[in-house]
Amino acid sequence: MKALTFLFILSASVVLNSCKNTPQKNQSFESQYPKGTFGYDLDFLKQKDSVVVLNSKDGNGQIIVSPKYQAKVFTSTADGANGKSFGWINYKTFDQRSLDPHMNAYGGEDRLWLGPEGGPFSIFFRPRTKMVFDYWHTPTAFDFESWKLTASSDKKASLSKSTRILNYLGVIFNVAIVRDIEILEPGDVKKMLGIDLDSKVKSVAFSTTNTIINTSPFAWSQQTGAPCLWNLDMFSPSAKTIIVVPYNKNDTGKVATTDYFGQIPPDRVKFNNGILLFKADGKSRGKLGMPPNRAKTMAGSYDAQNNVLTIALFDMDPKATYLNQEWRTDKPPFTGDAVNAYNDGPLANGTQMGPFYEIESVSPAAFLRPNEALTHKHSVFHFTGDKTELNQIALKTLGISLQDIQAAFK
């Protein structure tokens, strides 16, 4: 009875928060910058939130951080206000008349969620519900609730959030999250990726350090279930965008799960000598995941249409326990993927959230005693400019040339 009472209170709280956070219709919006530029997105977001802008020393690299919209890094640029905006922003969501009960997709070049999404310890499905879209709900703290900006400077921002989360088993977790975001300089990029940036290449890079703290009075275990940290990078696709996921080719077992939302057709995903290639044109919905014994600490993409090379670098422990996030309860819950990629596309009814594509990384399961913490670091790098130089960066980091990436789906 107490559990049912809490569920009623929790549901009521969500409804009240929904009323408080209902987006207001924006009557007009004007910007001196064209759509697709960083300046346009900055002007747009300034109307919605007191955003924080982090700047590189030369002022060309910039990123937008939003306290109101769940501590997202909304977007970035390598060339100032007139430069291309690299993140995907879903403008129409800001003006919706009521909150979506499943997910309010504001976008964001790097957003933070908690997992697992599916499985017997899911935090996206309430107890005893079917794991189908009708019953799928994003936890409110990562969907529409605002976060607290605890510190900021020209280079860094720190944000935090405390919340309670109910899992599929009926366990309630008290959780505190701390998110530190920092824009990186060329010296940091060289140290992290082992590359020297030529003057013919423009770049922007940032790092997020994400920490989850168990504020519950009990330990998170294999009996209660445990959450994990989950970074999702949303980018705008093009007809010539391809995701690149290097993997350990000498290990055993399946390289990747490619049927999260139905089997990805073979003309959209290929395996090439330790490199997984996944077409990211925003025209066919599909998700894949790579287990920790196969995954490396890096993934990326190349958009040949806009000449943008993107790298994601993240923590990964091949010996740790990762959670199965599939929408089913008949698989081992503590055998899951460490790296994911998603290409958006139309749903069966013809509607589409994006188009966008995602590169994702997750932390191991947070088996924590009270007041213990787990941290997951995830960094994003964008490079644009001279193709010869970009090719050298791709070879050094992803282990494949731009030519071979582009040839994969010809």
Side-chain angles (χ1 to χ4, degrees):
M1 192 67 179
K2 288 182 179 179
L4 290 174
T5 301
F6 175 80
L7 284 173
F8 175 79
I9 293 171
L10 184 67
S11 298
S13 174
V14 171
V15 171
L16 287 172
N17 279 326
S18 298
C19 293
K20 292 178 183 177
N21 289 274
T22 299
Q24 299 299 312
K25 184 72 175 176
N26 182 43
Q27 298 301 319
S28 63
F29 170 69
E30 295 182 1
S31 175
Q32 63 177 307
Y33 301 99
K35 196 170 184 178
T37 64
F38 183 82
Y40 179 94
D41 285 343
L42 180 57
D43 286 345
F44 177 85
L45 292 168
K46 279 182 175 179
Q47 289 196 338
K48 310 298 180 181
D49 185 18
S50 53
V51 295
V52 176
V53 179
L54 306 184
N55 300 275
S56 62
K57 285 182 180 178
D58 63 10
N60 292 324
Q62 299 180 55
I63 69 173
I64 301 172
V65 179
S66 173
K68 180 179 178 181
Y69 293 99
Q70 304 80 52
K72 299 178 193 294
V73 176
F74 257 119
T75 190
S76 65
T77 183
D79 199 18
N82 289 297
K84 179 177 173 57
S85 186
F86 292 124
W88 179 74
I89 296 175
N90 195 13
Y91 307 102
K92 62 181 182 289
T93 302
F94 294 82
D95 292 336
Q96 63 191 3
R97 295 184 180 277
S98 61
L99 289 167
D100 188 288
H102 302 288
M103 173 190 175
N104 291 277
Y106 300 106
E109 179 171 338
D110 181 87
R111 75 180 196 273
L112 182 69
W113 271 4
L114 295 187
E117 185 175 5
F121 301 109
S122 168
I123 61 172
F124 284 72
F125 293 93
R126 292 169 185 161
R128 298 180 295 279
T129 57
K130 291 183 179 180
M131 289 194 178
V132 295
F133 183 76
D134 285 350
Y135 301 102
W136 178 81
H137 303 282
T138 308
T140 57
F142 303 89
D143 187 32
F144 59 80
E145 293 179 358
S146 62
W147 286 41
K148 182 180 180 181
L149 179 67
T150 56
S152 67
S153 67
D154 197 45
K155 300 290 182 186
K156 299 179 182 180
S158 295
L159 305 100
S160 65
K161 182 70 175 179
S162 294
T163 189
R164 304 182 82 187
I165 295 173
L166 175 72
N167 77 1
Y168 193 75
L169 190 64
V171 177
I172 300 161
F173 300 100
N174 294 340
V175 177
I177 307 288
V178 178
R179 185 158 154 86
D180 297 316
I181 301 166
E182 179 180 5
I183 196 164
L184 303 175
E185 299 292 345
D188 302 311
V189 175
K190 179 178 180 179
K191 182 178 180 180
M192 296 170 73
L193 297 182
I195 60 173
D196 287 305
L197 292 178
D198 188 91
S199 59
K200 298 176 184 176
V201 172
K202 294 180 179 179
S203 67
V204 63
F206 62 88
S207 182
T208 71
T209 303
N210 311 280
T211 302
I212 184 170
I213 305 163
N214 178 0
T215 56
S216 307
F218 59 90
W220 300 343
S221 67
Q222 291 197 1
Q223 287 68 49
T224 65
C228 64
L229 294 158
W230 186 6
N231 282 76
L232 304 97
D233 302 333
M234 306 178 83
F235 306 115
S236 296
S238 78
K240 296 183 179 180
T241 301
I242 297 173
I243 296 171
V244 183
V245 188
Y247 62 89
N248 294 313
K249 60 182 180 179
N250 296 324
D251 215 315
T252 58
K254 183 167 59 174
V255 173
T257 298
T258 57
D259 60 353
Y260 271 87
F261 301 132
Q263 182 60 50
I264 299 171
D267 62 345
R268 288 188 161 270
V269 62
K270 293 188 177 181
F271 302 87
N272 179 16
N273 195 31
I275 304 289
L276 182 154
L277 299 157
F278 181 25
K279 197 170 184 179
D281 57 3
K283 294 182 179 180
S284 178
R285 186 170 184 256
K287 178 177 178 178
L288 59 82
M290 193 171 286
N293 67 307
R294 287 289 197 171
K296 295 188 175 183
T297 61
M298 187 179 295
S301 65
Y302 180 60
D303 177 355
Q305 184 170 303
N306 294 291
N307 193 37
V308 178
L309 175 65
T310 297
I311 305 292
L313 181 70
F314 36 79
D315 293 338
M316 206 281 297
D317 182 354
K319 296 181 180 179
T321 299
Y322 286 82
L323 300 170
N324 190 326
Q325 303 213 56
E326 295 176 82
W327 290 18
R328 54 195 300 173
T329 59
D330 60 346
K331 284 193 173 183
F334 302 114
T335 304
D337 296 322
V339 181
N340 295 95
Y342 174 79
N343 181 52
D344 192 43
L347 297 171
N349 63 8
T351 63
Q352 185 169 355
M353 184 184 298
F356 60 88
Y357 72 95
E358 292 180 330
I359 297 172
E360 310 169 9
S361 74
V362 298
S363 76
F367 295 129
L368 303 174
R369 292 189 293 269
N371 299 316
E372 282 188 336
L374 180 145
T375 295
H376 179 68
K377 191 169 184 178
H378 182 107
S379 304
V380 177
F381 310 77
H382 295 291
F383 306 98
T384 187
D386 184 83
K387 286 188 178 181
T388 301
E389 295 297 329
L390 294 187
N391 186 60
Q392 292 303 310
I393 295 172
L395 286 167
K396 181 73 174 180
T397 55
L398 299 172
I400 186 171
S401 69
L402 299 186
Q403 180 179 0
D404 287 341
I405 294 173
Q406 293 174 77
F409 297 104
K410 286 186 177 180

